[in-house]
Amino acid sequence: METQQSGTCIYPGSFDPITNGHLDLIERALHIFKTVIVAVANNPEKTHLFTAEERKEMIRAAVGDNPRVIVDSFDGLLVDYAHRKGVNVVLRGMRAMSDFEYEFQMTFMNRKLARDIETIFMMTGLRWFFVNSKLIKAAARAGASVEGLVPDVVCKKLQEKLHRKEAY
Ligand code: PNS
């Protein structure tokens, strides 16, 4: 069946680092949207393992040469960024019920800030239900292999950080 693609969505997140669950969502979003803007939040209040530039580089490498995926970063409020980009759809992935409360709060805050921006949700692919960036970092820090759960470029970058003995 022919599918219809519409407009652009912003897929925001920390992506510290990007996982195969994120990638799965991007691929599936491209069945619905013509363009997906993967927006890396540059939140100074959060301590990230990777810099925003490193996170963007890993996303670009993982996504490959796809002109329909734009990798960008933003400071400040997501809704302000969406307005600057002229995009009114924010996409978020939802794994289990445990994600719900956080997503619910964020959606309502964004809605309070800007009623013209809609947040939509897609369920994470079943294979990636238990994968999140925090667990990936914890596993890698403890010396476990995270191969198959994150793109190869992320495995490599995690290894590099480990070898440089940087703080996790
Ligand atoms: O991957 P994450 O950490 O769950 O992503 C959360 C993110 C980056 C989407 C969220 O923290 C965010 O939108 N930050 C930008 C600041 C903002 O707009 N805050 C108000 C809404 S809670």
Side-chain angles (χ1 to χ4, degrees), residues 4-164:
Q4 293 248 318
Q5 291 154 3
S6 57
T8 302
C9 73
I10 293 175
Y11 179 36
S14 300
F15 303 107
D16 187 41
I18 187 164
T19 69
N20 284 352
H22 293 128
L23 270 186
D24 173 65
L25 210 84
I26 295 168
E27 275 168 27
R28 285 163 49 221
L30 288 170
H31 296 148
I32 304 166
F33 296 96
K34 279 196 185 117
T35 308
V36 175
I37 301 177
V38 184
V40 174
N42 208 354
N43 186 349
E45 281 161 33
K46 271 195 185 176
T47 315
H48 295 112
L49 173 60
F50 294 103
T51 65
E53 210 44 56
E54 286 173 324
R55 286 178 273 154
K56 280 199 287 185
E57 265 173 36
M58 287 185 280
I59 298 169
R60 282 200 194 100
V63 166
D65 212 5
N66 188 340
R68 291 174 56 210
V69 181
I70 295 165
V71 183
D72 196 11
S73 55
F74 69 99
D75 297 291
L77 289 177
L78 173 62
V79 292
D80 289 343
Y81 174 73
H83 284 151
R84 285 199 298 277
K85 291 282 155 192
V87 175
N88 67 346
V89 182
V90 167
L91 172 70
R92 292 284 292 171
M94 185 93 79
R95 279 171 306 229
M97 278 307 284
S98 51
D99 282 344
F100 183 80
E101 197 169 332
Y102 171 57
E103 294 299 334
F104 187 81
Q105 287 169 357
M106 242 178 2
T107 300
F108 276 88
M109 177 56 85
N110 284 332
R111 209 164 145 67
K112 174 92 185 124
L113 296 170
R115 288 194 73 80
D116 57 328
I117 310 284
E118 283 295 345
T119 303
I120 63 165
F121 294 92
M122 284 173 72
M123 294 305 291
T124 298
L126 199 55
R127 283 179 72 191
W128 315 115
F129 227 66
F130 64 98
V131 177
N132 68 51
S133 302
K134 198 172 161 192
L135 278 181
I136 291 293
K137 285 180 282 189
R141 198 184 307 134
S145 166
V146 290
E147 222 180 294
L149 302 177
V150 292
D152 291 346
V153 62
V154 173
C155 274
K156 198 168 149 260
K157 290 279 176 195
L158 282 167
Q159 282 293 329
E160 281 174 19
K161 290 263 178 190
L162 275 172
H163 286 143
R164 286 212 303 265

